[in-house]
Amino acid sequence: MITAYCSDCKPLELADLSTIAQLPDNAVWIDMVEPSREEEENIERLLGLEVPTREDMKDIEPSSRLYVEDGSVFLTASLLWKADTSLPTLTDVAFILTGHRLITIRYARPKSFALFIAALQRIPQERRTGVALLTKLLETIVDRTAEVLEQTVSSIDILSVHVFGDRVKKIRRPSNYLEEKLKDIAGYHRTVSKVRDSLSSLSRVLTFLQTIPAMQQDREAKELCRNVSRDVQSLSEHASFVAGNVTFLLDASLGLINIEQNAIIKIFSIASVVFLPPTLVASVYGMNFEFMPELHFAYGYPTSLLLMVVSAVVPFLFFRWKGWL
């Protein structure tokens, strides 16, 4: 699907490009969402340039993602997608500046684009140029990324309370409680990792964008681009800090699981030691020798029971005295 946004912000869906001789002069933004090869060829015919394909957008070399060709600027960034789900991922989006137009090519629907389209009316009409729209769009993308990071930090704080528990309310937790929390930690680690990768990609795009002549000529767009670049830098540092907290939370959870397992093993070990003396007494009096003086003792049975109880209680009290229980 291809939609053209004119300078009056009215969207114009271009259904059949083969019948169009030229694009409207006031079309300042061409948004290509999951375009077919036929649609790509028609856009190339109308604009007189070669648009990158989905395979071209997957290149990781900066020279293949950021370049100028025949006066047109080609930028490819990795944006956060499906951030509200349990499996966030990155999607590659191409931005092309050609003349006064901005062209975007995407094979996903990041929420930042919907937010930008909704706020398109608030941009002054004289500022609706390709460079200005690209800068505003990148600002919206960075704001959305910051929102995702903020929500993740809040969720991590709540998860931290659940992992370490409330010291006032000592509530017994299920045996597999921490194991389940490891899945949540892994999910947050993935989100923060994708946020860092996206911010790194956006940083390269913004740095390259500040060097193009069209940006140098637009003072307002240049200043906004510089501010967004600083925001990306501060968010990258914050994301690194959050990633360290996630790593700490993971190590702490694994440590608590080991402590719980060691406590269970300790209980079994102490139980075996406590019941070892009674077992010894019972073994002695369970022998079938012919000459055993205690066999004819009238109180031999209760005495042996008392001896077994005493031999179990004494080690238990000794362990309590030592603080091992």
Side-chain angles (χ1 to χ4, degrees), residues 2-21:
I2 299 179
T3 305
Y5 292 88
C6 301
S7 56
D8 57 0
C9 294
K10 292 183 179 179
L12 177 63
E13 187 171 336
L14 305 178
D16 190 2
L17 294 174
S18 59
T19 61
I20 300 177

Side-chain angles (χ1 to χ4, degrees), residues 62-97:
S63 59
S64 301
R65 298 172 69 92
L66 310 170
Y67 60 93
V68 178
E69 186 176 281
D70 296 332
S72 299
V73 182
F74 295 80
L75 311 166
T76 302
S78 298
L79 307 184
L80 195 62
W81 184 39
K82 295 182 178 179
D84 298 329
T85 67
S86 59
L87 193 65
T89 184
L90 294 178
T91 180
D92 293 320
V93 178
F95 306 90
I96 304 174
L97 282 175

